[in-house]
Amino acid sequence: MLSWCINSLKPCNVLVADALARTAKYRLAQITAWPFRPFISPNCSGHSLLSRLSTLGGYPNDVLTGSYNTGFSTKRNPAGSNSSNNDNGSNGFVGGACSRVRKTKLVCTIGPATCKKETLFKLADAGMNVARLNMSHGTHESHKAVIDLVKEYNKTGRGCVATMLDTKGPEVRSGDLAEPMQLERRDTLTFTITEGANGKGGRVSVNYDGFIDDVSIGDELLVDGGIMSFVVKGKTDTDVQVEVVDGGVLQGRRHLNIRGKSANLPAITDKDWLDLKFGVEAGVDYYALSFVQDEYVIREVKKWLAEQGSKIKVGKQIGMVPPTTCASGYKS
């Protein structure tokens, strides 16, 4: 969002853009530490993403400058200079010799609303650096169509977009609901490993049989990283009874996790391996692994890729940070 805002500001608002970046300096540090930082597609040999920075906003030849710690400012290049075509090998890598680069990249998730050629090309022309394929949705066929469109765009010479396959990961999710459930504080609900519970009668299914063993009375159960929360009041061999702490509207197929605990699931599921193999065959540029608990998962995938003769880059998905409770009792 910040990068979109900055790129849309005109030069007369440079001070505003710089202030936005400085106030978000910590967040920018997280973003620029992302392991896919350059986001250059190997399918675009010799073509730098930086060559298109001057078209993203403001006047021609305007480029973003700055450092890892201070965020952005905007610098007008001297007339006749060609520093917007700055391809010195750093490609935005913080600490490189080049300072006239954008430190963030625009990652766009491609779905039903954006997978058509016209729409995807518009996103790329507007500054999309990476097309993200969410393997929690869609099929291999639909994702392959997107990858082919990205490759077609790159061949036009209008820009260079990378493709990133984001695995579903070993996640615990609630089941489908007959309709969304409005839950208020102190309401009660039952999560069950019994199939078919669709919210009627206050019962919601869970896709993980080990859920019962992982949960203890008194645990805090979070929905989508903390958008809603419950406290566990009791459990049986198949059910977990909870009380609402932070209410809201519960939708179907929501991610569930227990604060401070990890589910006893494999780091990479069978579905993930099938998706990773698809990525090699389709020729994606990056993998983003979901819910990675330690470095060994990344190393395992890198070793497997080496055996496949693939040069796909691997990193951990950066997702929502669960809320934390301060000493004062407030949640951040």
mmCIF file with all atom_site columns, all heavy atoms in Angstrom, residues 74-94:
data_model
loop_
_atom_site.group_PDB
_atom_site.id
_atom_site.type_symbol
_atom_site.label_atom_id
_atom_site.label_alt_id
_atom_site.label_comp_id
_atom_site.label_asym_id
_atom_site.label_entity_id
_atom_site.label_seq_id
_atom_site.pdbx_PDB_ins_code
_atom_site.Cartn_x
_atom_site.Cartn_y
_atom_site.Cartn_z
_atom_site.occupancy
_atom_site.B_iso_or_equiv
_atom_site.pdbx_formal_charge
_atom_site.auth_seq_id
_atom_site.auth_comp_id
_atom_site.auth_asym_id
_atom_site.auth_atom_id
_atom_site.pdbx_PDB_model_num
ATOM 1   N N   . THR A 1 74 ? 12.600 11.725 -3.524  1.00 0.00 ? 74 THR A N   1
ATOM 2   C CA  . THR A 1 74 ? 12.525 11.713 -4.979  1.00 0.00 ? 74 THR A CA  1
ATOM 3   C C   . THR A 1 74 ? 13.552 12.662 -5.541  1.00 0.00 ? 74 THR A C   1
ATOM 4   O O   . THR A 1 74 ? 13.712 13.765 -5.046  1.00 0.00 ? 74 THR A O   1
ATOM 5   C CB  . THR A 1 74 ? 11.121 12.131 -5.448  1.00 0.00 ? 74 THR A CB  1
ATOM 6   O OG1 . THR A 1 74 ? 10.176 11.233 -4.892  1.00 0.00 ? 74 THR A OG1 1
ATOM 7   C CG2 . THR A 1 74 ? 11.013 12.109 -6.961  1.00 0.00 ? 74 THR A CG2 1
ATOM 8   N N   . LYS A 1 75 ? 14.238 12.240 -6.607  1.00 0.00 ? 75 LYS A N   1
ATOM 9   C CA  . LYS A 1 75 ? 15.295 13.045 -7.193  1.00 0.00 ? 75 LYS A CA  1
ATOM 10  C C   . LYS A 1 75 ? 15.025 13.219 -8.676  1.00 0.00 ? 75 LYS A C   1
ATOM 11  O O   . LYS A 1 75 ? 14.766 12.256 -9.374  1.00 0.00 ? 75 LYS A O   1
ATOM 12  C CB  . LYS A 1 75 ? 16.644 12.367 -6.982  1.00 0.00 ? 75 LYS A CB  1
ATOM 13  C CG  . LYS A 1 75 ? 17.821 13.163 -7.545  1.00 0.00 ? 75 LYS A CG  1
ATOM 14  C CD  . LYS A 1 75 ? 19.123 12.472 -7.197  1.00 0.00 ? 75 LYS A CD  1
ATOM 15  C CE  . LYS A 1 75 ? 20.313 13.252 -7.731  1.00 0.00 ? 75 LYS A CE  1
ATOM 16  N NZ  . LYS A 1 75 ? 21.585 12.629 -7.371  1.00 0.00 ? 75 LYS A NZ  1
ATOM 17  N N   . ARG A 1 76 ? 15.089 14.443 -9.132  1.00 0.00 ? 76 ARG A N   1
ATOM 18  C CA  . ARG A 1 76 ? 14.889 14.729 -10.543 1.00 0.00 ? 76 ARG A CA  1
ATOM 19  C C   . ARG A 1 76 ? 16.219 14.582 -11.249 1.00 0.00 ? 76 ARG A C   1
ATOM 20  O O   . ARG A 1 76 ? 17.197 15.241 -10.917 1.00 0.00 ? 76 ARG A O   1
ATOM 21  C CB  . ARG A 1 76 ? 14.339 16.144 -10.699 1.00 0.00 ? 76 ARG A CB  1
ATOM 22  C CG  . ARG A 1 76 ? 13.886 16.464 -12.115 1.00 0.00 ? 76 ARG A CG  1
ATOM 23  C CD  . ARG A 1 76 ? 12.543 15.812 -12.367 1.00 0.00 ? 76 ARG A CD  1
ATOM 24  N NE  . ARG A 1 76 ? 12.122 16.027 -13.734 1.00 0.00 ? 76 ARG A NE  1
ATOM 25  C CZ  . ARG A 1 76 ? 11.490 17.135 -14.136 1.00 0.00 ? 76 ARG A CZ  1
ATOM 26  N NH1 . ARG A 1 76 ? 11.220 18.085 -13.269 1.00 0.00 ? 76 ARG A NH1 1
ATOM 27  N NH2 . ARG A 1 76 ? 11.127 17.262 -15.392 1.00 0.00 ? 76 ARG A NH2 1
ATOM 28  N N   . ASN A 1 77 ? 16.313 13.697 -12.228 1.00 0.00 ? 77 ASN A N   1
ATOM 29  C CA  . ASN A 1 77 ? 17.558 13.503 -12.963 1.00 0.00 ? 77 ASN A CA  1
ATOM 30  C C   . ASN A 1 77 ? 17.844 14.701 -13.860 1.00 0.00 ? 77 ASN A C   1
ATOM 31  O O   . ASN A 1 77 ? 16.925 15.329 -14.386 1.00 0.00 ? 77 ASN A O   1
ATOM 32  C CB  . ASN A 1 77 ? 17.467 12.257 -13.835 1.00 0.00 ? 77 ASN A CB  1
ATOM 33  C CG  . ASN A 1 77 ? 17.456 11.005 -13.004 1.00 0.00 ? 77 ASN A CG  1
ATOM 34  O OD1 . ASN A 1 77 ? 17.929 11.008 -11.884 1.00 0.00 ? 77 ASN A OD1 1
ATOM 35  N ND2 . ASN A 1 77 ? 16.899 9.944  -13.554 1.00 0.00 ? 77 ASN A ND2 1
ATOM 36  N N   . PRO A 1 78 ? 19.097 15.013 -14.066 1.00 0.00 ? 78 PRO A N   1
ATOM 37  C CA  . PRO A 1 78 ? 19.441 16.105 -14.986 1.00 0.00 ? 78 PRO A CA  1
ATOM 38  C C   . PRO A 1 78 ? 18.901 15.814 -16.379 1.00 0.00 ? 78 PRO A C   1
ATOM 39  O O   . PRO A 1 78 ? 18.780 14.667 -16.784 1.00 0.00 ? 78 PRO A O   1
ATOM 40  C CB  . PRO A 1 78 ? 20.971 16.105 -14.965 1.00 0.00 ? 78 PRO A CB  1
ATOM 41  C CG  . PRO A 1 78 ? 21.342 15.412 -13.698 1.00 0.00 ? 78 PRO A CG  1
ATOM 42  C CD  . PRO A 1 78 ? 20.265 14.416 -13.461 1.00 0.00 ? 78 PRO A CD  1
ATOM 43  N N   . ALA A 1 79 ? 18.588 16.877 -17.104 1.00 0.00 ? 79 ALA A N   1
ATOM 44  C CA  . ALA A 1 79 ? 18.052 16.707 -18.450 1.00 0.00 ? 79 ALA A CA  1
ATOM 45  C C   . ALA A 1 79 ? 19.036 15.936 -19.307 1.00 0.00 ? 79 ALA A C   1
ATOM 46  O O   . ALA A 1 79 ? 20.245 16.203 -19.300 1.00 0.00 ? 79 ALA A O   1
ATOM 47  C CB  . ALA A 1 79 ? 17.769 18.078 -19.067 1.00 0.00 ? 79 ALA A CB  1
ATOM 48  N N   . GLY A 1 80 ? 18.484 14.974 -20.029 1.00 0.00 ? 80 GLY A N   1
ATOM 49  C CA  . GLY A 1 80 ? 19.321 14.194 -20.937 1.00 0.00 ? 80 GLY A CA  1
ATOM 50  C C   . GLY A 1 80 ? 20.014 13.023 -20.288 1.00 0.00 ? 80 GLY A C   1
ATOM 51  O O   . GLY A 1 80 ? 20.670 12.232 -20.967 1.00 0.00 ? 80 GLY A O   1
ATOM 52  N N   . SER A 1 81 ? 19.907 12.884 -18.950 1.00 0.00 ? 81 SER A N   1
ATOM 53  C CA  . SER A 1 81 ? 20.568 11.759 -18.291 1.00 0.00 ? 81 SER A CA  1
ATOM 54  C C   . SER A 1 81 ? 19.762 10.505 -18.509 1.00 0.00 ? 81 SER A C   1
ATOM 55  O O   . SER A 1 81 ? 18.587 10.546 -18.819 1.00 0.00 ? 81 SER A O   1
ATOM 56  C CB  . SER A 1 81 ? 20.720 12.035 -16.797 1.00 0.00 ? 81 SER A CB  1
ATOM 57  O OG  . SER A 1 81 ? 19.467 12.003 -16.173 1.00 0.00 ? 81 SER A OG  1
ATOM 58  N N   . ASN A 1 82 ? 20.393 9.389  -18.296 1.00 0.00 ? 82 ASN A N   1
ATOM 59  C CA  . ASN A 1 82 ? 19.724 8.106  -18.540 1.00 0.00 ? 82 ASN A CA  1
ATOM 60  C C   . ASN A 1 82 ? 19.822 7.223  -17.323 1.00 0.00 ? 82 ASN A C   1
ATOM 61  O O   . ASN A 1 82 ? 19.919 6.023  -17.408 1.00 0.00 ? 82 ASN A O   1
ATOM 62  C CB  . ASN A 1 82 ? 20.348 7.415  -19.758 1.00 0.00 ? 82 ASN A CB  1
ATOM 63  C CG  . ASN A 1 82 ? 19.513 6.234  -20.222 1.00 0.00 ? 82 ASN A CG  1
ATOM 64  O OD1 . ASN A 1 82 ? 18.293 6.280  -20.115 1.00 0.00 ? 82 ASN A OD1 1
ATOM 65  N ND2 . ASN A 1 82 ? 20.145 5.206  -20.726 1.00 0.00 ? 82 ASN A ND2 1
ATOM 66  N N   . SER A 1 83 ? 19.804 7.848  -16.122 1.00 0.00 ? 83 SER A N   1
ATOM 67  C CA  . SER A 1 83 ? 19.993 7.062  -14.914 1.00 0.00 ? 83 SER A CA  1
ATOM 68  C C   . SER A 1 83 ? 18.767 6.245  -14.561 1.00 0.00 ? 83 SER A C   1
ATOM 69  O O   . SER A 1 83 ? 18.814 5.410  -13.677 1.00 0.00 ? 83 SER A O   1
ATOM 70  C CB  . SER A 1 83 ? 20.356 7.978  -13.734 1.00 0.00 ? 83 SER A CB  1
ATOM 71  O OG  . SER A 1 83 ? 19.360 8.949  -13.563 1.00 0.00 ? 83 SER A OG  1
ATOM 72  N N   . SER A 1 84 ? 17.626 6.498  -15.252 1.00 0.00 ? 84 SER A N   1
ATOM 73  C CA  . SER A 1 84 ? 16.468 5.651  -14.988 1.00 0.00 ? 84 SER A CA  1
ATOM 74  C C   . SER A 1 84 ? 16.710 4.246  -15.515 1.00 0.00 ? 84 SER A C   1
ATOM 75  O O   . SER A 1 84 ? 16.123 3.291  -15.051 1.00 0.00 ? 84 SER A O   1
ATOM 76  C CB  . SER A 1 84 ? 15.214 6.243  -15.626 1.00 0.00 ? 84 SER A CB  1
ATOM 77  O OG  . SER A 1 84 ? 15.354 6.289  -17.030 1.00 0.00 ? 84 SER A OG  1
ATOM 78  N N   . ASN A 1 85 ? 17.576 4.106  -16.509 1.00 0.00 ? 85 ASN A N   1
ATOM 79  C CA  . ASN A 1 85 ? 17.944 2.784  -17.009 1.00 0.00 ? 85 ASN A CA  1
ATOM 80  C C   . ASN A 1 85 ? 19.160 2.285  -16.253 1.00 0.00 ? 85 ASN A C   1
ATOM 81  O O   . ASN A 1 85 ? 20.197 1.979  -16.827 1.00 0.00 ? 85 ASN A O   1
ATOM 82  C CB  . ASN A 1 85 ? 18.253 2.840  -18.507 1.00 0.00 ? 85 ASN A CB  1
ATOM 83  C CG  . ASN A 1 85 ? 17.018 3.136  -19.311 1.00 0.00 ? 85 ASN A CG  1
ATOM 84  O OD1 . ASN A 1 85 ? 15.966 2.571  -19.029 1.00 0.00 ? 85 ASN A OD1 1
ATOM 85  N ND2 . ASN A 1 85 ? 17.107 4.028  -20.279 1.00 0.00 ? 85 ASN A ND2 1
ATOM 86  N N   . ASN A 1 86 ? 19.009 2.235  -14.948 1.00 0.00 ? 86 ASN A N   1
ATOM 87  C CA  . ASN A 1 86 ? 20.144 1.938  -14.092 1.00 0.00 ? 86 ASN A CA  1
ATOM 88  C C   . ASN A 1 86 ? 20.215 0.449  -13.845 1.00 0.00 ? 86 ASN A C   1
ATOM 89  O O   . ASN A 1 86 ? 19.503 -0.087 -13.028 1.00 0.00 ? 86 ASN A O   1
ATOM 90  C CB  . ASN A 1 86 ? 19.968 2.702  -12.772 1.00 0.00 ? 86 ASN A CB  1
ATOM 91  C CG  . ASN A 1 86 ? 21.257 2.773  -11.991 1.00 0.00 ? 86 ASN A CG  1
ATOM 92  O OD1 . ASN A 1 86 ? 22.163 1.994  -12.247 1.00 0.00 ? 86 ASN A OD1 1
ATOM 93  N ND2 . ASN A 1 86 ? 21.323 3.706  -11.059 1.00 0.00 ? 86 ASN A ND2 1
ATOM 94  N N   . ASP A 1 87 ? 21.076 -0.233 -14.551 1.00 0.00 ? 87 ASP A N   1
ATOM 95  C CA  . ASP A 1 87 ? 21.173 -1.683 -14.430 1.00 0.00 ? 87 ASP A CA  1
ATOM 96  C C   . ASP A 1 87 ? 22.613 -2.055 -14.096 1.00 0.00 ? 87 ASP A C   1
ATOM 97  O O   . ASP A 1 87 ? 23.368 -2.556 -14.920 1.00 0.00 ? 87 ASP A O   1
ATOM 98  C CB  . ASP A 1 87 ? 20.747 -2.347 -15.737 1.00 0.00 ? 87 ASP A CB  1
ATOM 99  C CG  . ASP A 1 87 ? 20.533 -3.842 -15.563 1.00 0.00 ? 87 ASP A CG  1
ATOM 100 O OD1 . ASP A 1 87 ? 20.701 -4.334 -14.433 1.00 0.00 ? 87 ASP A OD1 1
ATOM 101 O OD2 . ASP A 1 87 ? 20.211 -4.501 -16.541 1.00 0.00 ? 87 ASP A OD2 1
ATOM 102 N N   . ASN A 1 88 ? 23.026 -1.717 -12.862 1.00 0.00 ? 88 ASN A N   1
ATOM 103 C CA  . ASN A 1 88 ? 24.402 -1.961 -12.475 1.00 0.00 ? 88 ASN A CA  1
ATOM 104 C C   . ASN A 1 88 ? 24.572 -3.261 -11.718 1.00 0.00 ? 88 ASN A C   1
ATOM 105 O O   . ASN A 1 88 ? 25.613 -3.526 -11.135 1.00 0.00 ? 88 ASN A O   1
ATOM 106 C CB  . ASN A 1 88 ? 24.913 -0.791 -11.615 1.00 0.00 ? 88 ASN A CB  1
ATOM 107 C CG  . ASN A 1 88 ? 24.199 -0.715 -10.285 1.00 0.00 ? 88 ASN A CG  1
ATOM 108 O OD1 . ASN A 1 88 ? 23.205 -1.421 -10.083 1.00 0.00 ? 88 ASN A OD1 1
ATOM 109 N ND2 . ASN A 1 88 ? 24.689 0.124  -9.383  1.00 0.00 ? 88 ASN A ND2 1
ATOM 110 N N   . GLY A 1 89 ? 23.528 -4.074 -11.701 1.00 0.00 ? 89 GLY A N   1
ATOM 111 C CA  . GLY A 1 89 ? 23.646 -5.361 -11.035 1.00 0.00 ? 89 GLY A CA  1
ATOM 112 C C   . GLY A 1 89 ? 23.038 -5.378 -9.660  1.00 0.00 ? 89 GLY A C   1
ATOM 113 O O   . GLY A 1 89 ? 22.788 -6.440 -9.106  1.00 0.00 ? 89 GLY A O   1
ATOM 114 N N   . SER A 1 90 ? 22.799 -4.190 -9.059  1.00 0.00 ? 90 SER A N   1
ATOM 115 C CA  . SER A 1 90 ? 22.238 -4.204 -7.708  1.00 0.00 ? 90 SER A CA  1
ATOM 116 C C   . SER A 1 90 ? 20.739 -4.414 -7.738  1.00 0.00 ? 90 SER A C   1
ATOM 117 O O   . SER A 1 90 ? 20.179 -5.052 -6.872  1.00 0.00 ? 90 SER A O   1
ATOM 118 C CB  . SER A 1 90 ? 22.559 -2.884 -6.993  1.00 0.00 ? 90 SER A CB  1
ATOM 119 O OG  . SER A 1 90 ? 21.923 -1.817 -7.639  1.00 0.00 ? 90 SER A OG  1
ATOM 120 N N   . ASN A 1 91 ? 20.058 -3.831 -8.761  1.00 0.00 ? 91 ASN A N   1
ATOM 121 C CA  . ASN A 1 91 ? 18.621 -4.031 -8.934  1.00 0.00 ? 91 ASN A CA  1
ATOM 122 C C   . ASN A 1 91 ? 17.825 -3.816 -7.667  1.00 0.00 ? 91 ASN A C   1
ATOM 123 O O   . ASN A 1 91 ? 16.940 -4.581 -7.338  1.00 0.00 ? 91 ASN A O   1
ATOM 124 C CB  . ASN A 1 91 ? 18.340 -5.443 -9.476  1.00 0.00 ? 91 ASN A CB  1
ATOM 125 C CG  . ASN A 1 91 ? 18.794 -5.587 -10.910 1.00 0.00 ? 91 ASN A CG  1
ATOM 126 O OD1 . ASN A 1 91 ? 18.663 -4.659 -11.693 1.00 0.00 ? 91 ASN A OD1 1
ATOM 127 N ND2 . ASN A 1 91 ? 19.348 -6.722 -11.241 1.00 0.00 ? 91 ASN A ND2 1
ATOM 128 N N   . GLY A 1 92 ? 18.178 -2.789 -6.929  1.00 0.00 ? 92 GLY A N   1
ATOM 129 C CA  . GLY A 1 92 ? 17.406 -2.473 -5.742  1.00 0.00 ? 92 GLY A CA  1
ATOM 130 C C   . GLY A 1 92 ? 17.898 -3.149 -4.489  1.00 0.00 ? 92 GLY A C   1
ATOM 131 O O   . GLY A 1 92 ? 17.332 -2.992 -3.434  1.00 0.00 ? 92 GLY A O   1
ATOM 132 N N   . PHE A 1 93 ? 18.966 -3.900 -4.560  1.00 0.00 ? 93 PHE A N   1
ATOM 133 C CA  . PHE A 1 93 ? 19.490 -4.586 -3.378  1.00 0.00 ? 93 PHE A CA  1
ATOM 134 C C   . PHE A 1 93 ? 20.133 -3.581 -2.464  1.00 0.00 ? 93 PHE A C   1
ATOM 135 O O   . PHE A 1 93 ? 21.089 -2.902 -2.831  1.00 0.00 ? 93 PHE A O   1
ATOM 136 C CB  . PHE A 1 93 ? 20.511 -5.650 -3.797  1.00 0.00 ? 93 PHE A CB  1
ATOM 137 C CG  . PHE A 1 93 ? 20.816 -6.631 -2.707  1.00 0.00 ? 93 PHE A CG  1
ATOM 138 C CD1 . PHE A 1 93 ? 20.180 -7.864 -2.688  1.00 0.00 ? 93 PHE A CD1 1
ATOM 139 C CD2 . PHE A 1 93 ? 21.703 -6.326 -1.712  1.00 0.00 ? 93 PHE A CD2 1
ATOM 140 C CE1 . PHE A 1 93 ? 20.450 -8.772 -1.686  1.00 0.00 ? 93 PHE A CE1 1
ATOM 141 C CE2 . PHE A 1 93 ? 21.975 -7.233 -0.709  1.00 0.00 ? 93 PHE A CE2 1
ATOM 142 C CZ  . PHE A 1 93 ? 21.353 -8.460 -0.698  1.00 0.00 ? 93 PHE A CZ  1
ATOM 143 N N   . VAL A 1 94 ? 19.611 -3.439 -1.267  1.00 0.00 ? 94 VAL A N   1
ATOM 144 C CA  . VAL A 1 94 ? 20.099 -2.435 -0.336  1.00 0.00 ? 94 VAL A CA  1
ATOM 145 C C   . VAL A 1 94 ? 21.552 -2.715 -0.009  1.00 0.00 ? 94 VAL A C   1
ATOM 146 O O   . VAL A 1 94 ? 21.950 -3.837 0.273   1.00 0.00 ? 94 VAL A O   1
ATOM 147 C CB  . VAL A 1 94 ? 19.257 -2.442 0.951   1.00 0.00 ? 94 VAL A CB  1
ATOM 148 C CG1 . VAL A 1 94 ? 19.813 -1.450 1.945   1.00 0.00 ? 94 VAL A CG1 1
ATOM 149 C CG2 . VAL A 1 94 ? 17.819 -2.098 0.604   1.00 0.00 ? 94 VAL A CG2 1
#
